[in-house]
Amino acid sequence: AQTVTQSQPEMSVQEAETVTLSCTYDTSENNYYLFWYKQPPSRQMILVIRQEAYKQQNATENRFSVNFQKAAKSFSLKISDSQLGDTAMYFCAFMKTGTYKYIFGTGTRLKVLA
Amino acid sequence: GAVVSQHPSWVICKSGTSVKIECRSLDFQATTMFWYRQFPKQSLMLMATSNEGSKATYEQGVEKDKFLINHASLTLSTLTVTSAHPEDSSFYICSARVPGLAVSTDTQYFGPGTRLTVL
């Protein structure tokens, strides 16, 4: 069975600074996807970034980038130039290719301070 | 982008009654929808996979007879919590899969969730 672990329940960062959220996972699968989702106070889940496991290049989406270490089963999210609107709960998720089922971590609550 | 709606957004019911929650894909057809449950300050747990025109597939530990899922059309899936009890109080979220030309372009869109409170 796959597991996803987020060891930081809460984090805070000053506006315009950079913050890194950690995520580790455990799987025996070789083909899978990893995701970071954001859940703001509205509770609407929003996709932040996606990484295909077969790709060595780290995914980036504007201010968001990941550090994907497949051998270490690590998938951290870096948010650059943090904005107040980034305040939210962030979930790391695993999906075995072909299943379309997400396994979510426990989440990290990020607060961006003015 | 694709939009998924849920109705109602918030419902309160008495213990022993049944509650139906709707999940709709507004501008696309979703052959597959997923239902999740989220307890306060916790993660999302997959309950079941809903496929249009066939029976839902439930995750281990989820009671099929308690959480009835019907995927009647390509844009609508419903979750009915039967004989609800206070322990069923939770936030229920659906997602809909938009198949891509390649697996790498597959995307899931989430609904805004439904808060169920059972008194």
Side-chain angles (χ1 to χ4, degrees), chain B residues 23-89:
Chain B
C23 176
R24 292 182 185 272
S25 56
L26 297 185
D27 50 1
F28 66 97
Q29 293 183 331
T31 55
T32 305
M33 291 183 173
F34 303 88
W35 286 96
Y36 294 84
R37 185 173 181 177
Q38 185 179 27
F39 288 106
K41 298 185 179 181
Q42 293 189 27
S43 187
L44 284 74
M45 299 297 294
L46 179 65
M47 298 175 65
T49 302
S50 171
N51 294 297
E52 188 269 337
S54 64
K55 289 184 178 180
T57 303
Y58 291 82
E59 295 301 302
Q60 192 172 9
V62 178
E63 298 177 60
K64 301 178 183 181
D65 295 332
K66 179 156 190 69
F67 300 100
L68 300 179
I69 291 173
N70 185 5
H71 197 149
S73 74
L74 287 171
T75 59
L76 173 64
S77 175
T78 60
L79 168 67
T80 301
V81 183
T82 62
S83 186
H85 291 286
E87 57 265 31
D88 298 324
S89 298

Side-chain angles (χ1 to χ4, degrees), chain A residues 43-44 50 100-101 105, chain B residues 43 59 104 106 108 110 115:
Chain A
R43 305 296 290 270
Q44 176 77 59
R50 170 169 61 185
Y100 308 108
K101 296 180 181 181
Chain B
S43 187
E59 295 301 302
S104 60
D106 244 42
Q108 283 191 33
F110 285 81
R115 182 176 301 282

Side-chain angles (χ1 to χ4, degrees), chain A residues 33 35 37 39 42-47 50 52 54-55 89 91 95 97-107 109, chain B residues 4 34 36 38-46 49 57 59 91 93 95 97 103-108 110-112 115:
Chain A
Y33 292 80
F35 305 81
Y37 273 88
Q39 187 180 42
S42 68
R43 305 296 290 270
Q44 176 77 59
M45 295 285 282
I46 301 167
L47 176 65
R50 170 169 61 185
E52 292 91 336
Y54 64 86
K55 288 188 177 179
M89 194 76 167
F91 291 99
M95 184 183 79
T97 301
T99 66
Y100 308 108
K101 296 180 181 181
Y102 288 113
I103 297 172
F104 286 94
T106 51
R109 187 172 301 279
Chain B
V4 176
F34 303 88
Y36 294 84
Q38 185 179 27
F39 288 106
K41 298 185 179 181
Q42 293 189 27
S43 187
L44 284 74
M45 299 297 294
L46 179 65
T49 302
T57 303
E59 295 301 302
F91 196 69
I93 302 175
S95 72
R97 176 184 159 226
V103 175
S104 60
T105 59
D106 244 42
T107 304
Q108 283 191 33
F110 285 81
R115 182 176 301 282

